[in-house]
Amino acid sequence: MFDTFAEKKFLLKELVKKELTSKYKDSVLGILWSFFNPLLIMIVFTAIFSMLFGRQIQNYPVYFLSGRLLYDFYNAATKGAMRSIKRNGNLIKKIYVPKYMFSVSAVLYEFINFLISFVILIGVMVFTGATFYPTIIYGIIPVILLLILIFGVGLILAVCNTYFTDVGHLYNVFTLLLMYASALFYPMEIVPSQIQKIFTLNPIYSAISCFRECIYGVVPTTSTLLYLAAFAFTTLGIGVLLFKIYEKKLVLEI
């Protein structure tokens, strides 16, 4: 399935361009929403929750935004991949295109959005006087592992959603629960210790906590990174296998 991936780079590039132009087609601000959306959300959440958690969390705007950016990336990318096959059904029926390319392009498009949004995080760090620790460079590790996880989840969802439309509705509920289980706007210390152990099993929380540690000058623990890596590569393996089994049958379900 992926043996011709190198030969399809041009096609992938065009699909990502298609994602960009279709999303911002009728928008006045266009791609600038990639800057304004996370910034506006951060301002609202900071105004509300900094009064509750500001004393417990150093530089609350940076704490919240660093978690929110990773969660939004996961949320948007997996949902984009999930809908990618059905959304491009007419094109898939007309010409032969490797179907996984649609899911991959949806994820890469959201990754570009994430990189653009990261500029906002840097700006907020400068504005709030945050220290830029050398460990920030290690933040690329949880981001890459999260990207691998997203590819896996996206492929799984793309297959499942093509066969069962209800998957999309259920996944919306799941991602809402996932947001509250990822400690985006509150410190983990307020959660009972028994529940904290459950939260640590959440790979999204692992990615966010590792990324935040890098921002705040702490080297992430090896055990957390290994857990995230194992979860990400296992999920990717399952996604590739599932997609390989059902790829040729997907066109019949569109």
Side-chain angles (χ1 to χ4, degrees):
M1 178 177 67
F2 295 96
D3 54 343
T4 59
F5 185 80
E7 302 172 8
K8 304 295 183 180
K9 286 190 291 185
F10 175 78
L11 173 60
L12 182 61
K13 183 179 178 181
E14 293 303 310
L15 289 174
V16 173
K17 282 184 179 179
K18 177 176 174 289
E19 292 280 349
L20 283 166
T21 55
S22 62
K23 181 167 184 177
Y24 298 114
K25 182 179 180 181
D26 299 316
S27 173
V28 176
L29 294 177
I31 201 168
L32 287 177
W33 277 115
S34 296
F35 290 98
F36 289 126
N37 188 52
L39 183 60
L40 292 174
I41 291 174
M42 183 214 68
I43 292 172
V44 171
F45 271 76
T46 298
I48 296 173
F49 291 107
S50 62
M51 293 182 291
L52 295 174
F53 308 122
R55 293 183 179 180
Q56 297 171 264
I57 298 175
Q58 177 189 357
N59 200 331
Y60 187 84
V62 172
Y63 178 88
F64 172 75
L65 189 57
S66 59
R68 183 77 196 198
L69 288 181
L70 265 67
Y71 169 79
D72 282 350
F73 172 40
Y74 173 86
N75 184 42
T78 53
K79 287 181 178 179
M82 177 177 66
R83 304 186 188 104
S84 61
I85 302 300
K86 282 199 169 184
R87 190 173 66 241
N88 293 282
N90 290 333
L91 180 60
I92 291 173
K93 289 178 180 179
K94 290 178 182 178
I95 60 173
Y96 172 74
V97 179
K99 298 170 190 62
Y100 69 86
M101 294 292 257
F102 295 102
S103 299
V104 171
S105 65
V107 172
L108 291 180
Y109 159 71
E110 293 298 343
F111 185 59
I112 293 172
N113 267 343
F114 167 76
L115 294 178
I116 293 172
S117 301
F118 189 76
V119 176
I120 296 296
L121 176 60
I122 300 298
V124 169
M125 291 178 69
V126 172
F127 181 79
T128 58
T131 302
F132 283 80
Y133 295 99
T135 52
I136 195 172
I137 193 67
Y138 295 124
I140 193 173
I141 299 175
V143 169
I144 290 175
L145 293 177
L146 180 63
L147 178 62
I148 293 169
L149 174 64
I150 289 171
F151 277 128
V153 173
L155 290 173
I156 294 171
L157 289 174
V159 173
C160 293
N161 189 60
T162 303
Y163 281 88
F164 308 104
T165 306
D166 290 343
V167 169
H169 302 295
L170 292 173
Y171 192 66
N172 286 333
V173 177
F174 172 78
T175 51
L176 181 61
L177 294 174
L178 191 66
M179 181 183 72
Y180 288 103
S182 299
L184 296 187
F185 54 86
Y186 59 86
M188 182 59 77
E189 289 73 23
I190 70 170
V191 179
S193 57
Q194 297 88 342
I195 300 179
Q196 285 186 32
K197 295 178 181 178
I198 298 175
F199 276 27
T200 57
L201 298 176
N202 172 9
I204 309 306
Y205 170 72
S206 296
I208 289 173
S209 63
C210 287
F211 185 72
R212 277 176 174 157
E213 286 174 346
C214 295
I215 297 293
Y216 280 88
V218 179
V219 178
T221 60
T222 304
S223 58
T224 304
L225 288 174
L226 287 176
Y227 172 74
L228 179 58
F231 201 102
F233 282 103
T234 300
T235 304
L236 179 62
I238 294 172
V240 170
L241 179 62
L242 189 66
F243 208 93
K244 189 172 184 179
I245 293 172
Y246 290 97
E247 182 179 22
K248 294 181 180 179
K249 303 175 185 177
L250 291 177
V251 69
L252 302 176
E253 302 295 329
I254 299 173

